[in-house]
Amino acid sequence: MSSPVVFIDGDQGTTGLQIHERLRNRTDIRLFTLPAAERKDARRRAEAINGCDIAILCLPDAAAREAVGAIVNPAVRVIDASSAYRTQADWTYGFPEMAAGQAEQIANASRVTNPGCYPTGAVGLLRPLAQAGLIPAAYPISIHAVSGYSGRGRAGVAEYEGQGAASAPSYQVYGLELAHKHAPEIEQHAGLAQRPIFVPAYGAFRQGIVLTVPLALRQLAPGVDGTTLHSCLARHYAGATHVRVLPLQESRALTHLDPQALNGTNDMDLSVFHNVESGHVLLSAVFDNLGKGASGAAVQNLELMLTRR
């Protein structure tokens, strides 16, 4: 049996470049990209996507929809890294650790939508707790996250690494209209009953994310405390290769969270911090926005899909 052909469409962007870097030395697949002169040739792109076994799309939403629309070969399978299909019921959500059986669904899917970077942390923290009934459906969830500037794609890299880098802001909160495109994705896949308040920000570092969710124990189910929440997360991710729940003792020893701590990996660390006197809990996720939040997740999904030949 010949090695499967994997076509990366959009390999010149931040996510595509890292996917290519992670796959370029593989000998079990035939990696294919279009030369620069053919990237905007609709006919050539259609030929490429219909001639591969698995296509990884690293494109803006509209271009991703166009690429999927050009597929006429029913054998072609797709991993889409855009946000075009993340809330579509006929696409499999590409977060293997999200739920029991999710990895198997991804392995057998023909259409996989990669999670957004921020939703990876938010869903990773909230879904197990919501499913266990530890967070009431009516709880007003608020989420704050700080990402490296590569989260903006090439525009972010240009602003911070180009000629005007000296004047680039050290920190900027955005999404002030409270309508960020990741909010519906978080609501759906975390199993929330209402839209969370989501406030994202960029820092003056290339990649990495710290995402936090504050909770007030008095608004949670009776008897729930930080230990209960931690135990639920620890059970859910027991045995997971790429998601780790820090032991409570290890979390207590932390004095800060470094968004760059897991850069270059496909891992995510989850923590629970709690103050018994105030009745406050802080959930946190640390991971690489270009790793578990993008390219690493795409390669993890590809690995699963390659098991079905």
Side-chain angles (χ1 to χ4, degrees), residues 68 80 116 186 307:
V68 172
D80 179 33
I186 294 170
T307 63

Side-chain angles (χ1 to χ4, degrees), residues 118 178 262 297:
Y118 294 129
L178 300 178
L262 294 176

Side-chain angles (χ1 to χ4, degrees), residues 158-169:
E159 180 180 7
Y160 282 87
E161 299 180 8
Q163 292 183 346
S167 60

Side-chain angles (χ1 to χ4, degrees), residues 42-302:
R43 180 188 62 80
R44 187 69 188 93
R45 288 179 65 209
E47 287 177 354
I49 200 168
N50 281 287
C52 73
D53 294 290
I54 300 176
I56 304 178
L57 308 181
C58 305
L59 304 165
D61 289 8
R65 293 188 183 97
E66 180 182 335
V68 172
I71 298 174
V72 294
N73 180 356
V76 174
R77 305 168 75 195
V78 178
I79 299 171
D80 179 33
S82 81
S83 61
Y85 299 103
R86 289 176 185 158
T87 58
Q88 299 296 310
D90 54 343
W91 282 67
T92 299
Y93 197 58
F95 188 172
E97 300 89 354
M98 181 180 75
Q102 193 70 19
E104 289 76 14
Q105 289 186 38
I106 294 167
N108 293 302
S110 62
R111 299 290 183 268
V112 174
T113 176
N114 234 40
C117 56
Y118 294 129
T120 297
V123 173
L125 288 167
L126 293 170
R127 183 183 175 104
L129 304 179
Q131 281 197 326
L134 302 181
I135 298 179
Y139 191 96
I141 294 290
S142 63
I143 301 163
H144 181 258
V146 184
S147 171
Y149 55 76
S150 60
R152 288 179 56 201
R154 284 181 292 175
V157 173
E159 180 180 7
Y160 282 87
E161 299 180 8
Q163 292 183 346
S167 60
S170 59
Y171 182 84
Q172 51 186 320
V173 176
Y174 67 104
L176 302 181
E177 74 286 357
L178 300 178
H180 194 282
K181 67 179 182 179
H182 284 165
E185 179 185 349
I186 294 170
E187 178 185 5
Q188 176 174 318
H189 294 292
L192 305 179
Q194 56 189 346
R195 190 71 49 87
I197 298 173
F198 175 52
V199 183
Y202 289 126
F205 53 95
R206 196 175 204 276
Q207 61 198 81
I209 284 179
V210 166
L211 179 144
T212 55
V213 181
L215 299 172
L217 292 179
R218 67 181 181 278
Q219 293 179 278
L220 302 185
V224 172
D225 59 13
T227 301
T228 311
L229 298 170
H230 179 271
S231 296
C232 178
L233 291 173
R235 284 194 303 273
H236 182 86
Y237 294 107
T241 301
H242 295 291
V243 181
R244 180 173 76 119
V245 180
L246 270 65
L248 283 174
Q249 185 174 358
E250 188 173 339
S251 296
R252 290 191 194 103
L254 294 176
T255 58
H256 66 280
L257 293 170
D258 178 4
Q260 303 177 84
L262 294 176
N263 281 0
T265 77
N266 187 45
D267 299 334
M268 180 165 64
D269 279 355
L270 307 181
S271 298
V272 177
F273 305 93
H274 60 124
N275 184 304
V276 176
E277 292 181 0
S278 65
H280 293 160
V281 168
L282 186 70
L283 310 176
S284 74
V286 174
F287 55 105
D288 185 352
N289 62 293
L290 295 180
K292 188 61 172 167
S295 59
V299 172
Q300 184 180 357
N301 289 327
L302 174 65

Side-chain angles (χ1 to χ4, degrees), residues 24-38:
R24 66 186 179 89
N25 292 323
R26 295 276 294 263
T27 58
D28 59 326
I29 61 174
R30 288 177 288 162
L31 193 61
F32 177 65
T33 60
L34 286 173
E38 298 180 1

